[in-house]
Amino acid sequence: MMGNDEASTLKLVQRNLELHKETIKKYQGQLVKELGDGLLILFNSPSAAVRCAKDLIHSTRDDKTLTLHFGIHLGEVVVTENDVFGSGVNIASRIESESKPGEILVSEAVWDNINNKKTLTATYVGNKNFKNVGHPVKLFHIHVDNEPTTTKLQLLLGRERKNIIVSTLIIMLVALLSLSYFGDLPWVEDLYRK
């Protein structure tokens, strides 16, 4: 956007920041720093972070110029005067990069802490291996509106359909090769005659 219209883009980023500041304050968040068109924010609780993200998505839904997406993680951080460091920040950043416009993705640590809130629902997305993270991170898609909850089987069939088809084809190929290899055995010849 900067390459096409720098002045309008800067106004958009500023308007986005002002909107964020108001909502962040409402949920007792602390704006740590701006990251280009993104923000690094600390909250006192995971539910406050998720509710803030939902509010921001709702408040910008009619504005086609703002496409917000969020990655939220609960983890240890080191807070300095001007910045925040640690694996908690790294994982949150990686989760954010996986989220799509209008989506809130959270780690299992966040979901474990908020899943008892009736107004917050989610769908398990799957495990993700992130760069510089020594273990897979389970991701959950937070429902922004009244989305139906998707079961793990539905997600598997929807997201992993290609893998299932490839696996089935491989199994069929192995079965055919086995039949041709063992074709000299009497019981296999009986199968062909029937």
Side-chain angles (χ1 to χ4, degrees), residues 56-91:
L56 285 166
I57 288 175
H58 282 133
S59 65
T60 59
R61 182 159 280 149
D62 295 332
D63 187 342
K64 301 302 179 203
T65 58
L66 292 174
T67 53
L68 306 181
H69 55 108
F70 299 87
I72 303 173
H73 178 62
L74 173 66
E76 297 261 339
V77 294
V78 176
V79 181
T80 65
E81 199 171 304
N82 300 325
D83 212 343
V84 178
F85 301 95
S87 65
V89 175
N90 182 38
I91 293 171

Side-chain angles (χ1 to χ4, degrees), residues 6-7 21 33 35 38 49 55-56 67 70 90 92-93 116 120 127 137 150 152 180 185:
E6 186 176 299
K21 282 182 179 178
K33 65 180 176 180
L35 307 161
D55 258 15
L56 285 166
T67 53
F70 299 87
N90 182 38
S93 174
N116 62 340
L120 299 176
N127 290 349
V137 177
T150 308
K152 287 183 182 181
S180 65
L185 298 176

